[in-house]
Amino acid sequence: MKIQFLDLKAAYIELKDGLDAAYSRVMESARYILGNEIEAFETEFAEYCEARNCIGVGNGLDALHLILRGYGIGTGDEVVVPSNTFIATWLAVTYAGATPVPVEPDERTYNIDPARIEAAITSRTKAIMPVHLYGQPADMDPILAIASRYGLKVIEDAAQAHGARYRGRRTGSLGDAAGFSFYPGKNLGTIGDGGAIVTNDDQLADKIRMLRNYGCRQKYVNECKGFNSRLDELQAAFLRVKLTCLDEWNIRRSTIAEAYSMALTGSALVLPFVPDYAEPVWHLYVIQCANRGGLQEKLTGAGIGSLIHYPIPPHLQAAYKELEYGDGELPLCESLAQNVLSLPMGPHMSEVDSSYVVEVIVR
């Protein structure tokens, strides 16, 4: 029996008619950049996120970067970020010219720990960038309260949390702005790369629409030094099809997560913890295991795909050697990097699939 970590082909097969029709519609329109499809998707995704504005961009990293640029955050500024995250969160800060200041995670949720944030704030801090890691929202109320006291922006990294809710509200509508990724493996993924900014800040939205398109509102009239980061028509058309089934697919993921948790409770593994305030969408199902290498080898031998998210924390990557962090300086995220393992997760897994994964783990 073979179980992929994520079956992308099955997603295409289920939505083949709609995706093929979307492709034909765009090709026949002969309009491939900033046309009707992206306008429609931006309206639909903003509504889905319970926000006023959506701006489609090239990828999730660009989404976060352009939010920072739009708020004028740059050289000499600092942005509080999680120590436990994919490096794109940090890179967005760096690309804007600012400095990422890491804060350790809550040991139960793996998201940034609000109780540790205030100690990281200095006179140079301009924003807090919580990540809704693995599809579970960060604890936003205390983060927003801290930001309000210090006059800081709150920028959600929602790259893994399409459709998740915090106290009943969608991720993407919780802070000042949010960046989403539509990388193919995401809960809402396209057939290539893509991203979006979601915000209720109309002034920011207007600025980012210029920044993503060479600094132009009108062609050849450059109001600022912008970038080329536009979600293209074809990807927007595909996303419109997938958006219609996102909630259903998230429910399927939740069913797999529930099956894992029920079957593995009482095992030696540390299972995901879901606080009362969170409605996660299970982008990943991440366990901790003292003998991760042995377990992953056993899964691989049984034909089961698994991944490590993420084996090297950003502060220990060569890309950030100038920050001069050493081993042991951020021990919580370093411990997670050594022990976490992501089990197969996706909307096209069956009950038989999840039962087989559990069987291999416990035998």
Side-chain angles (χ1 to χ4, degrees):
M1 189 171 183
K2 294 285 186 181
I3 298 178
Q4 299 178 60
F5 182 76
L6 176 65
D7 189 348
L8 292 177
K9 186 174 182 180
Y12 170 65
I13 291 171
E14 180 176 345
L15 300 178
K16 184 179 188 306
D17 290 347
L19 293 171
D20 289 353
Y23 167 81
S24 297
R25 189 170 65 244
V26 172
M27 297 307 291
E28 289 169 4
S29 77
R31 185 172 182 185
Y32 307 129
I33 301 290
L34 297 182
N36 294 334
E37 296 292 341
I38 190 171
E39 289 178 9
F41 172 72
E42 288 175 342
T43 298
E44 292 159 6
F45 193 61
E47 181 178 347
Y48 178 84
C49 293
E50 302 168 358
R52 285 201 301 271
N53 302 284
C54 171
I55 307 98
V57 295
N59 53 69
L61 172 55
D62 282 0
L64 296 173
H65 170 219
L66 291 177
I67 293 169
L68 293 165
R69 291 276 185 175
Y71 278 132
I73 297 171
T75 303
D77 296 332
E78 295 176 350
V79 177
V80 172
V81 297
S83 61
N84 183 46
T85 185
F86 181 55
I87 199 171
T89 312
W90 289 42
L91 290 173
V93 176
T94 304
Y95 289 172
T99 300
V101 177
V103 167
E104 287 274 71
D106 181 307
E107 294 183 66
R108 299 180 304 165
T109 67
Y110 310 151
N111 278 320
I112 192 169
D113 186 348
R116 301 172 187 268
I117 289 176
E118 205 157 2
I121 294 173
T122 72
S123 61
R124 296 182 295 278
T125 308
K126 294 296 186 293
I128 305 170
M129 190 180 285
V131 178
H132 305 311
L133 198 63
Y134 311 146
Q136 178 159 288
D139 191 0
M140 293 297 291
D141 281 353
I143 294 172
L144 291 165
I146 293 168
S148 178
R149 285 200 299 273
Y150 287 89
L152 307 176
K153 298 297 183 183
V154 176
I155 300 166
E156 301 171 69
D157 182 338
Q160 301 181 1
H162 314 73
R165 289 187 181 274
Y166 175 82
R167 302 194 186 279
R169 297 172 57 202
R170 293 275 197 199
T171 54
S173 65
L174 304 171
D176 293 286
F180 285 87
S181 166
F182 303 128
Y183 181 78
K186 302 298 195 230
N187 291 43
L188 180 61
T190 190
I191 319 297
D193 227 333
I197 294 101
V198 172
T199 183
N200 287 316
D201 185 334
D202 298 334
Q203 186 174 356
L204 176 69
D206 183 62
K207 181 69 176 293
I208 290 174
R209 287 190 180 99
M210 286 195 298
L211 285 171
R212 73 170 175 183
N213 190 36
Y214 300 104
C216 297
R217 284 190 182 89
Q218 178 182 346
K219 194 170 185 178
Y220 302 133
V221 179
N222 303 83
E223 299 179 41
C224 62
K225 298 180 181 71
F227 302 85
N228 176 11
S229 182
R230 302 167 298 201
L231 180 67
D232 69 66
E233 284 287 283
L234 193 58
Q235 303 304 337
F238 291 148
L239 287 166
R240 293 184 67 199
V241 176
K242 288 192 166 188
L243 183 58
T244 63
C245 61
L246 176 58
D247 285 341
E248 178 190 342
W249 284 13
N250 284 342
I251 290 171
R252 294 184 200 175
R253 288 174 177 268
S254 295
T255 300
I256 297 297
E258 184 178 359
Y260 279 152
S261 293
M262 289 181 63
L264 293 172
T265 295
S267 71
L269 305 175
V270 178
L271 303 181
F273 170 78
V274 180
D276 291 341
Y277 59 71
E279 295 177 43
V281 291
W282 298 104
H283 174 60
L284 299 172
Y285 187 93
V286 179
I287 61 171
Q288 287 193 67
C289 179
N291 182 22
R292 178 178 66 190
L295 176 57
Q296 188 169 35
E297 185 177 345
K298 182 163 72 167
L299 291 169
T300 301
I304 298 170
S306 63
L307 291 173
I308 299 170
H309 296 87
Y310 302 97
I312 305 174
H315 72 282
L316 296 181
Q317 297 280 3
Y320 280 101
K321 62 184 178 182
E322 77 277 3
L323 297 183
E324 298 183 342
Y325 284 101
D327 289 335
E329 290 195 53
L330 295 171
L332 295 180
C333 76
E334 291 174 31
S335 176
L336 289 171
Q338 293 166 8
N339 294 293
V340 293
L341 185 67
S342 300
L343 301 183
M345 170 57 69
H348 298 92
M349 282 190 71
S350 67
E351 183 179 348
V352 172
D353 292 337
S354 62
S355 296
Y356 178 61
V357 173
V358 170
E359 176 191 335
V360 171
I361 289 173
V362 301
R363 71 187 181 198

